[in-house]
Amino acid sequence: MSKIVINVIKAQSESRTVLQWNRVQIKKSLDEICHSLTLELPVSQKGLLHVHDTIEVRFYNKYITHNDGNLRVTTVRIDEITDTTESGRKFITVVGRSPARDIIDSTWTGETNSATLLDVAKSIATGTFGIEVQHLPRDVDYTEIIPALAWDCESPWTKLLNAADNQGYVLTSNEAGGLYLTKSGRDAEYWHFILAEGMNIKSVETTESGAEQFHEYVVVSSGVTGRAIDSRCKNNRILTLNLTDFQLDQEKANRRAQIELYRRRKTTTKVTVSGWGLTDEQIRAFADTREKELFFNPNFLIPVYIPYAQLDAKMMISEVEYRADQHQFDCTVSLVNPEVYMGKEGSVYAASKTKKPARKKKPSILEQVRDRHGITSIQVRK
């Protein structure tokens, strides 16, 4: 049995108070560096929290073997508190974002020395705002050196994100309120994650979007120009990215243009599932839950088997929206082809449509995962 505990921590304090709550919604996305939280509370809780206080959401499960049986899901700073009366019902709505909001919202003048991407991120996030930055895997730095950055009456955040994109890294908030710097695509099959028809799926919705799609993508960087053409977008729309702050070679300029193409051509499949991640049975199967991922998270590469949506491949989680009230948990997982964030490196995982071949069909992703991890009670459609 799992439960959610929500704490408020006063600004500039370590004092925690457990809140009574009605419902909670948390969103994590590769396209939004901050986690966002919307929390509904009884009016009796109003005096316990104020804007800029910290909200911490924790997940308790008796099968978690470390950290006293609980894990953080997110840590945010309160942006807004609204007192509402609706049809005779009174409640408070709290809206918050990860501590990285302070970097995004702030504008100032500064500069950094030429250093690795990780060290530059630390100098801005940790040096100015006290926000910890960690490389995954930990205790190493595989990032490349970037030129000195300078900014004038603005936030350096966009420059930092461009530097990460150029190296194939993702910069995102973590559960504790710090930042992770990690390569695009973490293989979640290692922790037995899977989305499969007949197992844990409540609904599926697929959207093909062209609103931000262009025919030609141009990346300009220090005398080098990278290009990519989207043959599926049959018009004259052009997008040019000015990355003259960075010294990209021809290969990296072309790669960045190609990733921009894939990212704006994406088809998104939204899958609603029960729970926020692994089931109790899956968590219990770990002899030790330390260093294990238990929740669906953006940047996961996850096996997906949904024949009626013609999906049978590994896909990338681009966004997760967790929801809970006092009676149930569920979440919506947004899936895209891995190439959207990994470029050509992700095409090896690209989702392929399920067809009825004339010859014997090779094992599906579901069957492969089942056999590899000894998962039982799965009926595979033949």
Side-chain angles (χ1 to χ4, degrees):
M1 184 66 179
S2 302
K3 69 175 182 177
I4 301 295
V5 173
I6 302 178
N7 301 311
V8 60
I9 306 166
K10 293 293 184 183
Q12 306 297 321
S13 169
E14 295 297 324
S15 175
R16 283 173 168 77
T17 301
V18 178
L19 295 172
Q20 299 176 35
W21 57 279
N22 298 333
R23 56 178 57 89
V24 62
Q25 176 180 308
I26 302 163
K27 187 172 79 170
K28 303 179 183 180
S29 173
L30 287 177
D31 296 326
E32 299 289 341
I33 305 307
C34 291
H35 301 172
S36 63
L37 172 139
T38 303
L39 175 65
E40 183 185 300
L41 304 169
V43 291
S44 60
Q45 306 298 287
K46 185 175 181 180
L48 299 178
L49 68 174
H50 301 87
V51 292
H52 307 303
D53 286 350
T54 298
I55 295 287
E56 177 188 72
V57 179
R58 288 186 173 268
F59 176 91
Y60 282 73
N61 184 288
K62 64 182 180 180
Y63 298 121
I64 296 175
T65 62
H66 69 293
N67 203 39
D68 296 324
N70 76 90
L71 295 174
R72 283 193 192 96
V73 181
T74 192
T75 302
V76 303
R77 301 259 170 83
I78 298 175
D79 283 330
E80 182 179 291
I81 302 172
T82 303
D83 195 337
T84 303
T85 300
E86 183 179 272
S87 301
R89 179 172 169 264
K90 295 183 177 181
F91 57 92
I92 297 167
T93 302
V94 177
V95 176
R97 291 174 294 156
S98 302
R101 65 166 197 166
D102 295 343
I103 310 174
I104 297 169
D105 295 346
S106 296
T107 57
W108 74 103
T109 297
E111 61 182 2
T112 65
N113 295 323
S114 177
T116 65
L117 173 61
L118 177 61
D119 284 341
V120 171
K122 285 181 176 180
S123 70
I124 295 171
T126 310
T128 306
F129 296 93
I131 297 172
E132 183 180 10
V133 183
Q134 296 183 59
H135 184 285
L136 291 182
R138 294 181 178 89
D139 302 320
V140 295
D141 182 2
Y142 298 140
T143 64
E144 300 173 19
I145 292 176
I146 62 174
L149 295 182
W151 57 97
D152 184 21
C153 298
E154 60 182 330
S155 171
W157 195 248
T158 299
K159 295 178 185 290
L160 202 54
L161 292 185
N162 278 326
D165 264 341
N166 293 340
Q167 296 187 24
Y169 270 84
V170 173
L171 188 60
T172 185
S173 293
N174 62 31
E175 292 81 1
L179 291 167
Y180 280 150
L181 191 56
T182 182
K183 277 288 187 180
S184 298
R186 300 178 68 200
D187 195 346
E189 187 182 343
Y190 177 78
W191 301 291
H192 303 178
F193 282 91
I194 185 171
L195 289 169
E197 179 180 336
M199 284 183 62
N200 51 354
I201 293 175
K202 296 168 69 174
S203 66
V204 179
E205 174 186 294
T206 299
T207 301
E208 181 180 2
S209 175
E212 297 183 354
Q213 190 177 8
F214 294 82
H215 175 68
E216 183 176 5
Y217 296 84
V218 181
V219 172
V220 179
S221 173
S222 301
V224 173
T225 300
R227 280 188 168 83
I229 301 295
D230 189 348
S231 58
R232 300 184 193 176
C233 185
K234 301 183 184 300
N235 52 45
N236 297 321
R237 287 159 59 92
I238 301 174
L239 178 68
T240 301
L241 297 181
N242 182 355
L243 300 181
T244 51
D245 287 338
F246 304 97
Q247 298 171 354
L248 303 184
D249 58 27
Q250 189 64 59
E251 181 182 355
K252 288 183 178 179
N254 288 339
R255 179 185 184 277
R256 181 61 193 275
Q258 195 70 39
I259 285 182
E260 203 67 34
L261 183 158
Y262 287 133
R263 195 167 294 179
R264 292 170 180 272
R265 191 174 70 183
K266 65 184 178 184
T267 296
T268 304
T269 299
K270 292 188 175 184
V271 181
T272 299
V273 300
S274 300
W276 285 6
L278 298 180
T279 64
D280 284 0
E281 290 74 17
Q282 289 174 306
I283 297 173
R284 183 171 55 181
F286 293 127
D288 186 344
T289 56
R290 282 176 295 188
E291 300 297 322
K292 304 293 193 303
E293 295 284 0
L294 305 184
F295 310 118
F296 292 115
N297 270 306
N299 202 35
F300 276 6
L301 290 169
I302 183 171
V304 178
Y305 180 76
I306 312 175
Y308 63 82
Q310 298 183 311
L311 297 176
D312 182 6
K314 278 190 177 178
M315 300 186 73
M316 178 174 281
I317 297 178
S318 63
E319 181 178 296
V320 182
E321 183 179 293
Y322 311 89
R323 295 174 297 271
D325 57 27
Q326 297 300 321
H327 306 290
Q328 64 179 356
F329 302 65
D330 71 1
C331 71
T332 298
V333 178
S334 296
L335 302 164
V336 297
N337 286 345
E339 61 193 22
V340 169
Y341 291 95
M342 299 176 69
K344 288 184 178 179
E345 295 92 332
S347 61
V348 66
Y349 302 106
S352 58
K353 294 186 177 181
T354 304
K355 299 179 180 178
K356 294 181 179 179
R359 53 192 178 188
K360 186 176 180 181
K361 185 170 65 175
K362 69 177 182 179
S364 71
I365 283 288
L366 178 63
E367 292 170 309
Q368 294 173 42
V369 172
R370 176 199 63 190
D371 295 339
R372 192 175 301 128
H373 298 294
I375 300 174
T376 58
S377 302
I378 299 177
Q379 298 298 318
V380 182
R381 291 187 176 185
K382 299 292 187 182

